[in-house]
Amino acid sequence: MLEQVADNLWLARETVSSGMGLLGWSWGRRRGPSGFGAASTAEEVTAGVDASHLTAIVTGATNGIGKETARVLALRGANVIIPARNLESGLKVKESLAEQVPSAKLHVMEMDMSSLSSVRNFVQSFNSSHKNLNILINNAGIMACPYQLSEDGIELQFATNHLGHFLLTNLLLDKMKSTAEQTGVQGRIINVASVAHKRSDGACFELNKLNDKARYNPFIAYSHSKLANILHANELSRRFQEEGCNLTANSLHPGVIFTNIVRYIAGNNALMSVLSPVAKLVLKGVPQGAATTCYLALHPDLKDVSGKYFADCNEATPTAVARDAELAKKLWLFSEELVGTKPN
């Protein structure tokens, strides 16, 4: 437990010290070159945008910042697909969002992000039922969970946070390329990463290391998966530029939301009662947490911007490891091996 508390405190400290906590938005409300900052909400950064001609997939849209992302995209007119591991839960989310946005165009489809076969089945169903795809938001994730393997025999955080999205993205690339070509509208892929990537040294992309239970640290494993999110977006961007296709790929840190930071601290109600009021002052709420994702997905200033990492709706600088082009290529090849085929 103490190790997990220390890891979560590190994440909170990084958030505040990098301008994404209390000093960044609750007091100073500083704004960057984009005109937005840590206090900006998803609705604010998309004000005036007409997304009625766009189709978007938002993974992890059944709760938290993913749900808010889906709501705001729907509010701006987008046709939003919500993958859900449990269809019943997904339909309840759809109903809830439709009450808030009566004009919402929402579709729930079944997918378990940690299961490669489920991802493949989702893509097959999506391709047969939807003509276009403009925006893919890879948001779903789990954080610092106890050690376990996915049904495919891969450490669960890496399987869910990176590998499922790697396969999903690659299987949807042809659809996104054809949509961009036919409509003339640039496609956008957004990977929701984390400042936690700073805890990964990049020497982790081997199956025996990922799956080593004796070496498993919940937060470090999470950090590995978040580093992978950034490297994945960077390598996608490099390939798009090489091909000359009309797609972009970027990654982001959404900020720390209280529910995420304490989820796997052992059930200590006294500790929770102390942390909760402080966290609400220091950390972002859900509307702020979804802002950078929505900014990258819809704002016109992001046209032709690719291979970048953002925080608080402004470009930021990840670690040198996260900018390592050779490591990004290595991760791509490793991911292809794990999914069993070259998906694209």
Side-chain angles (χ1 to χ4, degrees):
M1 174 184 174
L2 290 177
E3 185 177 69
Q4 291 184 12
V5 171
D7 286 330
N8 283 306
L9 288 175
W10 175 89
L11 182 56
R13 185 192 69 215
E14 282 293 316
T15 299
V16 175
S17 66
S18 58
M20 290 172 273
L22 180 63
L23 297 179
W25 70 273
S26 191
W27 283 357
R29 294 186 176 269
R30 294 174 296 188
R31 293 173 180 260
S34 69
F36 304 114
S40 301
T41 65
E43 285 198 24
E44 179 186 353
V45 304
T46 59
V49 174
D50 178 9
S52 59
H53 59 300
L54 303 176
T55 296
I57 293 174
V58 183
T59 71
T62 55
N63 55 65
I65 63 174
K67 183 178 178 181
E68 176 69 357
T69 298
R71 185 189 72 82
V72 172
L73 264 59
L75 181 67
R76 303 306 176 211
N79 179 36
V80 181
I81 290 80
I82 299 174
R85 186 171 54 183
N86 181 289
L87 275 180
E88 184 178 353
S89 298
L91 291 171
K92 288 181 180 178
V93 169
K94 176 182 176 180
E95 182 179 345
S96 170
L97 292 176
E99 289 177 357
Q100 299 173 65
V101 185
S103 61
K105 295 175 287 186
L106 302 167
H107 307 270
V108 178
M109 299 179 66
E110 187 174 7
M111 180 171 66
D112 179 351
M113 205 73 246
S114 70
S115 165
L116 298 179
S117 63
S118 181
V119 171
R120 289 189 172 95
N121 289 338
F122 169 86
V123 173
Q124 185 176 11
S125 297
F126 175 82
N127 283 338
S128 65
S129 58
H130 291 79
K131 180 180 179 182
N132 294 328
L133 179 61
N134 306 93
I135 300 167
L136 173 60
I137 298 177
N138 292 321
N139 166 82
I142 55 177
M143 178 182 176
C145 62
Y147 178 86
Q148 54 188 307
L149 300 180
S150 71
E151 67 177 39
D152 301 291
I154 300 160
E155 190 277 312
L156 191 61
Q157 291 190 80
F158 191 82
T160 304
N161 298 354
H162 166 67
L163 196 63
H165 287 115
F166 173 83
L167 180 61
L168 176 68
T169 301
N170 278 276
L171 292 177
L172 290 170
L173 281 181
D174 285 343
K175 175 79 76 175
M176 295 195 73
K177 290 175 183 177
S178 63
T179 299
E181 184 176 353
Q182 292 166 14
T183 64
V185 178
Q186 190 170 71
R188 299 184 182 186
I189 297 172
I190 298 101
N191 283 359
V192 178
S194 171
V195 70
H197 79 274
K198 293 182 177 183
R199 293 292 294 274
S200 177
D201 61 5
C204 51
F205 302 134
E206 298 175 19
L207 189 58
N208 65 326
K209 292 182 179 179
L210 285 174
N211 284 358
D212 187 348
K213 186 175 182 179
R215 296 168 50 179
Y216 183 75
N217 174 297
F219 191 81
I220 297 300
Y222 174 73
S223 300
H224 293 332
S225 71
K226 295 292 102 178
L227 173 64
N229 293 155
I230 300 173
L231 292 170
H232 177 217
N234 292 351
E235 178 62 8
L236 278 169
S237 179
R238 186 192 69 78
R239 289 169 177 250
F240 294 159
Q241 291 172 10
E242 195 174 77
E243 290 180 40
C245 62
N246 195 20
L247 300 178
T248 65
N250 293 290
S251 58
L252 67 106
H253 169 55
V256 179
I257 315 301
F258 180 61
T259 52
N260 286 345
I261 203 171
V262 302
R263 184 185 304 172
Y264 287 105
I265 294 177
N268 187 323
N269 292 330
L271 178 61
M272 292 280 282
S273 65
V274 171
L275 288 178
S276 182
V278 176
K280 288 177 181 178
L281 289 173
V282 174
L283 305 181
K284 287 184 177 184
V286 169
Q288 290 83 19
T292 305
T293 303
C294 290
Y295 175 70
L296 291 176
L298 295 183
H299 202 283
D301 285 355
L302 272 296
K303 187 178 186 300
D304 297 327
V305 175
S306 191
K308 304 297 183 181
Y309 171 76
F310 286 77
D312 297 337
C313 301
N314 287 277
E315 187 176 339
T317 303
T319 61
V321 173
R323 304 192 305 272
D324 187 331
E326 291 305 311
L327 183 60
K329 294 176 185 178
K330 176 183 176 181
L331 171 65
W332 188 281
L333 294 174
F334 176 56
S335 301
E336 283 185 335
E337 292 176 7
L338 290 181
V339 301
T341 60
K342 293 189 175 182
N344 190 65

